[in-house]
Amino acid sequence: MNITEIKQGIHYVGVNDRTTTRFEGLWSLPQGVSYNAYLVVGEKVALIDTVSEAFGSRLLHNIEEIIGDRAVDYLVINHMEPDHSGSISTLAMRYPQMQIVSNAKALQMVKGFYAVNTPTVEVKEGDTLDLGGKTLSFHMAPMVHWPETMVSWCAEEKTLFSGDAFGTFGALNGGITDSQVCPEMYWDEMRRYYSAIVGKYGAPVQKALQKVKGLSPETICPTHGPVWQREVATVMDIYDRLSRYEGEKGVVIAYGSMHGNTEEMAELTARYLAEEGVKNIRLHNLSYAEHSFVLSDIFRYDTLVVASPTYNGSLFPPVKHLLEMLAERNIPHRNFAFLGSFTWACASVRLMKEFAESMKWEPITAPVEMKQGISDAVRTECRRLAHEIAQRLA
């Protein structure tokens, strides 16, 4: 039995990357990442997406293992980001008669990135490609998360090739489908991938979800992470909630601290929340935390507490960076509270209030403001803040 055959005539030919440490040069990859590509084999052969340029020779080997000396007739590009299109030039040299199939925006990007003279087939919404025994149709999904993004659908096998949608960080450890791996290890990596990469584009994701649900796929083949078969309903539900910015009950405390005083406020607030019966509490020291993990928790939970000292008349830089990332992602609603500290002139409380106003977030309660060090008055205020948060979550 060859586990790379996902459905009859549909084969996995992707690769694992366990050496790259930063996805997009930004997001850590402690468990690696997969670049997924798929062969659809009928009377003609279509390859759906490619892999990062560094793994092009391995992709060719995987293809030849399935089809031997047969040619790849069509290369379908669902998404032009180089981790999925990087092997186009390699494939064009190996299969000179191959035609590249995609939409007009993607085909322009093919020329811009790779300057190949490969023949092209432009497709629009609902167009089909007959492979002889297998048919592919194409559905546009712009801004999930690039403007040229589309998905491909094989009706005969009820299989959706979804591009980056429904993907996860994390390499594939042997198995390919969700029945061959332990899917639980990928749920957090799916949230982290979504919040870091796709998080800004909730409305386009919702539109794409409606198209996908209308197809009723039995198999979803993303460009990262496992192929979904048993867990199709679960991954659709996760994407639905994430793209509606719906958080489950819980508190994320994200803080910066130079000398430990602001950190002590954050720790006290967490302790008081626990005393109030709140169990889902996540603390992140922003000087050390990897931002994709912080973003993932903020997308997951419905309440955010930020604590920052004043630094050069502004917010502590790691805190400022986090708030900028949240603003970029257009998160429409979160329960929000904040704590600020200063030595001689406070700016952090004012700036976090301005951030909340810019996001149209109504703070849960009045902020806590600390001058210099912890005192009984500050402890009392942290306890008040925790109590009012717990009341909101009750």
Side-chain angles (χ1 to χ4, degrees):
M1 175 185 174
N2 188 338
I3 68 170
T4 63
E5 186 167 27
I6 298 161
K7 298 289 285 287
Q8 185 176 359
I10 297 177
H11 302 263
Y12 179 87
V13 289
V15 302
N16 283 311
D17 181 353
R18 303 182 194 274
T19 57
T20 298
T21 59
R22 292 276 169 181
F23 192 81
E24 296 185 336
L26 290 169
W27 317 110
S28 67
L29 294 172
Q31 300 182 74
V33 68
S34 68
Y35 309 124
N36 299 344
Y38 305 92
L39 280 178
V40 182
V41 181
E43 294 174 14
K44 293 190 173 182
V45 177
L47 174 67
I48 300 186
D49 292 310
T50 81
V51 301
S52 179
E53 181 180 17
F55 297 89
S57 61
R58 197 177 302 176
L59 173 64
L60 287 180
H61 173 79
N62 293 345
I63 292 169
E64 290 165 2
E65 197 172 66
I66 302 300
I67 61 172
D69 293 333
R70 288 183 67 181
V72 171
D73 300 289
Y74 301 104
L75 169 58
V76 176
I77 297 293
N78 282 330
H79 178 34
M80 270 299 299
E81 202 166 4
D83 54 331
H84 308 302
S85 67
S87 296
I88 285 178
S89 297
T90 300
L91 286 158
M93 287 187 287
R94 175 65 179 83
Y95 303 110
Q97 303 306 311
M98 178 186 73
Q99 299 179 71
I100 297 179
V101 180
S102 199
N103 60 75
K105 288 182 179 178
L107 294 177
Q108 180 278 317
M109 292 182 186
V110 171
K111 291 183 179 179
F113 275 112
Y114 305 111
V116 294
N117 294 317
T118 305
T120 61
V121 178
E122 180 184 332
V123 295
K124 298 180 175 65
E125 178 71 32
D127 285 352
T128 61
L129 180 66
D130 186 0
L131 301 177
K134 294 281 189 292
T135 306
L136 296 175
S137 63
F138 308 101
H139 306 274
M140 304 304 118
M143 299 319 302
V144 186
H145 56 117
W146 276 24
E148 86 305 348
T149 302
M150 68 181 194
V151 299
S152 301
W153 170 248
C154 180
E156 292 85 357
E157 301 300 331
K158 296 188 181 301
T159 295
L160 180 75
F161 302 93
S162 62
D164 276 348
F166 310 113
T168 81
F169 291 136
L172 297 173
N173 298 324
I176 294 163
T177 71
D178 54 9
S179 62
Q180 298 163 352
V181 300
C182 178
E184 283 73 19
M185 69 171 283
Y186 293 99
W187 300 139
D188 285 343
E189 290 293 76
M190 175 175 278
R191 292 186 187 92
R192 191 165 70 92
Y193 180 89
Y194 182 95
S195 60
I197 309 300
V198 191
K200 180 176 181 175
Y201 303 105
V205 170
Q206 280 289 309
K207 290 180 181 178
L209 275 172
Q210 297 313 306
K211 286 187 181 182
V212 168
K213 288 177 180 178
L215 297 170
S216 299
E218 294 178 358
T219 299
I220 296 178
C221 297
T223 46
H224 299 291
V227 170
W228 305 110
Q229 291 177 323
R230 294 183 178 180
E231 302 287 354
V232 166
T234 302
V235 298
M236 283 196 182
D237 179 64
I238 290 173
Y239 255 64
D240 182 45
R241 285 186 284 109
L242 287 170
S243 58
R244 287 188 289 108
Y245 304 94
E246 179 185 298
E248 60 189 84
K249 288 187 182 299
V251 181
V252 179
I253 301 175
Y255 69 90
S257 189
M258 288 181 283
H259 304 295
N261 292 297
T262 310
E263 182 175 56
E264 190 169 355
M265 278 204 299
E267 293 279 5
L268 281 170
T269 300
R271 179 66 56 83
Y272 297 147
L273 282 167
E275 289 178 358
E276 294 276 351
V278 178
K279 290 186 171 60
N280 287 329
I281 305 169
R282 301 287 186 271
L283 265 74
H284 293 285
N285 183 334
L286 295 176
S287 293
Y288 300 94
E290 208 285 321
H291 276 99
S292 65
F293 290 93
V294 184
L295 287 171
S296 179
D297 278 345
I298 292 170
F299 268 77
R300 181 170 186 177
Y301 297 108
D302 64 1
T303 302
L304 172 63
V305 178
V306 176
S308 177
T310 296
Y311 188 88
N312 286 339
S314 185
L315 292 169
F316 192 55
V319 175
K320 184 177 181 180
H321 182 47
L322 174 68
L323 299 188
E324 287 170 349
M325 288 194 293
L326 296 179
E328 288 170 358
R329 282 157 178 77
N330 301 322
I331 300 173
H333 48 78
R334 278 296 175 270
N335 301 324
F336 185 59
F338 51 101
L339 308 94
S341 65
F342 68 103
T343 298
W344 66 87
C346 183
S348 59
V349 165
R350 171 179 56 82
L351 292 170
M352 285 187 282
K353 181 175 182 292
E354 290 175 2
F355 165 77
E357 291 170 350
S358 72
M359 297 290 286
K360 297 183 172 57
W361 292 355
E362 182 68 31
I364 299 171
T365 181
V368 177
E369 188 172 60
M370 177 178 70
K371 183 175 182 179
Q372 295 157 7
I374 288 287
S375 65
D376 288 342
V378 170
R379 292 187 181 92
T380 298
E381 280 292 281
C382 289
R383 187 181 292 278
R384 172 195 59 79
L385 183 140
H387 174 72
E388 294 186 21
I389 291 171
Q391 291 294 305
R392 177 66 63 90
L393 294 176

